[in-house]
Amino acid sequence: MSEKSTEALIIESLITLLSMFPTLLQMFQNRGALTEEDIRYYRERIRVIQETSLRSFDKYLEEARELYGDG
Amino acid sequence: MRKFSVFLFVLCLVGCASFGGRQAYDTTISVYARAALLYDMAARTAARACILHNVPEEKCDEWGRVLEEARRTLLDYGNFLDAMLALEPTPECLERTKICTTEECRQRNLQICYEQQMVRYSRAIERTIGALKKIIEEARG
């Protein structure tokens, strides 16, 4: 991933954070309004995010070793 | 001009969020996905630097500790969102309703507890993004 897109991601994350609390509150207040299908969809998205992007640092080190050797 | 664009963007996000329930869920999950992606990027950048460049072992260990804390925060936050979607009280909030004898008290305590948790997670995610940004900058040298 390029440097520019990393910066964009950081800025986007920080900006979006500003709306995080009111949005969470809105989500809590509407939590009974979703269909079963919606709930399954969102829960699946959370699970996929956790499995694909939140691996332990050791896994990343292993991958880097495989890719680049020992430097 | 740039500041004004940022302001408009934030205003749009807040406006969109208050427009409908589903939109609030989409925005929340998107924030989560972006924060997780930032973790992924920080971990990749740090691992690459540790293997390829002459980064002291202590520095790599420090990055490892910060990344693990960020990972736990993001996993906990995801589990909190999942509990909210499943309409299940989190263990902490369940504990807070035990003193109640009426449904009204239970609902009120649950809401207060959730709101406190939301504030806590908002702050924790903010700190996490700051820490991940720092790792990316350091690892790039």
Side-chain angles (χ1 to χ4, degrees), chain A residues 1 3 6-7 12 15-16 20 23 26-28 31 38 42-43 50 53-55 60 68-69, chain B residues 9 17 22 24-26 31-32 34 39-41 48 51 71 75 77 79 82 114 118 133 140:
Chain A
M1 191 156 305
E3 196 164 307
T6 310
E7 293 306 321
E12 261 181 35
I15 290 169
T16 317
M20 192 172 157
T23 310
Q26 184 82 17
M27 184 173 156
F28 177 76
R31 67 194 177 124
D38 287 336
Y42 287 122
R43 294 186 77 185
Q50 288 182 328
S53 300
L54 297 175
R55 293 170 301 141
Y60 290 92
Y68 311 112
Chain B
F9 180 55
R22 219 192 130 101
Y25 281 85
D26 284 335
V31 173
Y32 186 52
R34 279 198 197 104
Y39 166 85
D40 184 70
M41 204 176 285
R48 187 175 185 274
I51 301 299
R71 192 173 85 94
L75 284 173
Y77 178 54
N79 293 339
D82 189 68
Y114 265 110
M118 285 175 203
K133 184 174 176 275
R140 278 186 186 158

Side-chain angles (χ1 to χ4, degrees), chain B residues 87-128:
Chain B
L87 300 178
E88 287 166 3
T90 57
E92 184 186 325
C93 291
L94 190 63
E95 194 62 33
R96 297 267 291 271
T97 61
K98 279 186 180 168
I99 52 162
C100 289
T101 53
T102 65
E103 183 57 22
E104 193 189 350
C105 163
R106 206 182 82 84
Q107 287 301 327
R108 194 176 56 242
N109 279 11
L110 213 53
Q111 171 128 10
I112 292 168
C113 179
Y114 265 110
E115 285 177 11
Q116 286 171 348
Q117 282 197 306
M118 285 175 203
V119 172
R120 215 166 58 213
Y121 279 119
S122 297
R123 286 177 185 156
I125 300 287
E126 194 176 345
R127 276 198 307 273
T128 300

Side-chain angles (χ1 to χ4, degrees), chain A:
Chain A
M1 191 156 305
S2 73
E3 196 164 307
K4 195 180 172 189
S5 62
T6 310
E7 293 306 321
L9 189 72
I10 292 168
I11 292 166
E12 261 181 35
S13 303
L14 287 170
I15 290 169
T16 317
L17 262 175
L18 296 175
S19 67
M20 192 172 157
F21 180 70
T23 310
L24 269 177
L25 202 59
Q26 184 82 17
M27 184 173 156
F28 177 76
Q29 284 161 354
N30 285 284
R31 67 194 177 124
L34 294 178
T35 64
E36 283 296 316
E37 196 182 336
D38 287 336
I39 291 170
R40 267 200 304 276
Y41 166 75
Y42 287 122
R43 294 186 77 185
E44 178 65 10
R45 273 192 71 187
I46 292 170
R47 194 189 61 75
V48 170
I49 291 167
Q50 288 182 328
E51 278 183 14
T52 54
S53 300
L54 297 175
R55 293 170 301 141
S56 75
F57 185 50
D58 287 343
K59 297 271 178 204
Y60 290 92
L61 282 173
E62 265 174 44
E63 272 180 17
R65 254 184 225 111
E66 281 168 20
L67 275 172
Y68 311 112
D70 282 321

